[in-house]
Amino acid sequence: MKHKIQKVELFVGVIVLLGGLLTYGLGVHQLLPVPRPDLVVYGTTLIGIILILMGCDIFSKPTKEMQILENDERNIAITNASLANAYKVTLTLLVLVLFALIFMGYMSKVVFFSIVGVIAIGQITWVITARYLDKNTS
């Protein structure tokens, strides 16, 4: 499962990076109906590089000791507990920052609905994953 996600990250990163560079090379960035079309190239390039870096871990070969430690039930439980805690903290801080930006007047409608969409997708993914894992464990 982990390798599938990394392959998707790597593939999407390359597509976004090449799309951003082609956008600049073909001059399409001047035709896009966005307030700052010159930043589209920088944004897509940065997003592509980040996704590529997230997915390039697929090329590393784990040793036998690393595989044993990764599959140890105690380590898996500790990892899952820490990820759940980090998710709760991140979500809480994201919502607080979102409302702080709204009330200070720095938030536009597009950014607001983008962030709310990301939060909604994260929550939906969490609920679906929890139900799927609950069905498989019982």
Side-chain angles (χ1 to χ4, degrees):
M1 179 71 172
K2 182 178 177 184
H3 291 296
K4 290 180 185 177
I5 293 172
Q6 288 177 337
K7 286 179 185 177
V8 169
E9 287 174 344
L10 188 62
F11 178 73
V12 170
V14 169
I15 296 297
V16 170
L17 177 65
L18 292 177
L21 294 177
L22 284 176
T23 299
Y24 180 73
L26 298 175
V28 179
H29 70 285
Q30 297 172 347
L31 304 173
L32 295 174
V34 293
R36 296 282 310 267
D38 56 323
L39 294 179
V40 171
V41 177
Y42 298 122
T44 54
T45 303
L46 183 64
I47 291 170
I49 290 171
I50 289 170
L51 286 171
I52 289 170
L53 290 176
M54 289 172 61
C56 72
D57 188 37
I58 198 169
F59 299 118
S60 66
K61 268 298 209 201
T63 62
K64 283 287 188 190
E65 183 181 338
M66 289 170 61
Q67 288 176 346
I68 291 170
L69 288 175
E70 186 176 316
N71 294 328
D72 184 24
E73 290 179 15
R74 187 180 60 209
N75 288 340
I76 292 172
I78 292 170
T79 302
N80 289 341
S82 65
L83 286 173
N85 192 22
Y87 178 75
K88 289 177 189 176
V89 169
T90 303
L91 185 65
T92 303
L93 291 175
L94 183 62
V95 170
L96 290 174
V97 167
L98 177 68
F99 284 112
L101 290 173
I102 289 170
F103 293 125
M104 287 189 290
Y106 289 110
M107 183 66 64
S108 69
K109 292 177 184 175
V110 174
V111 176
F112 172 76
F113 286 112
S114 298
I115 294 174
V116 169
V118 167
I119 292 171
I121 290 170
Q123 290 294 335
I124 291 168
T125 304
W126 176 67
V127 168
I128 290 172
T129 305
R131 286 187 181 175
Y132 174 75
L133 291 175
D134 189 39
K135 285 181 183 177
N136 287 341
T137 56
S138 56

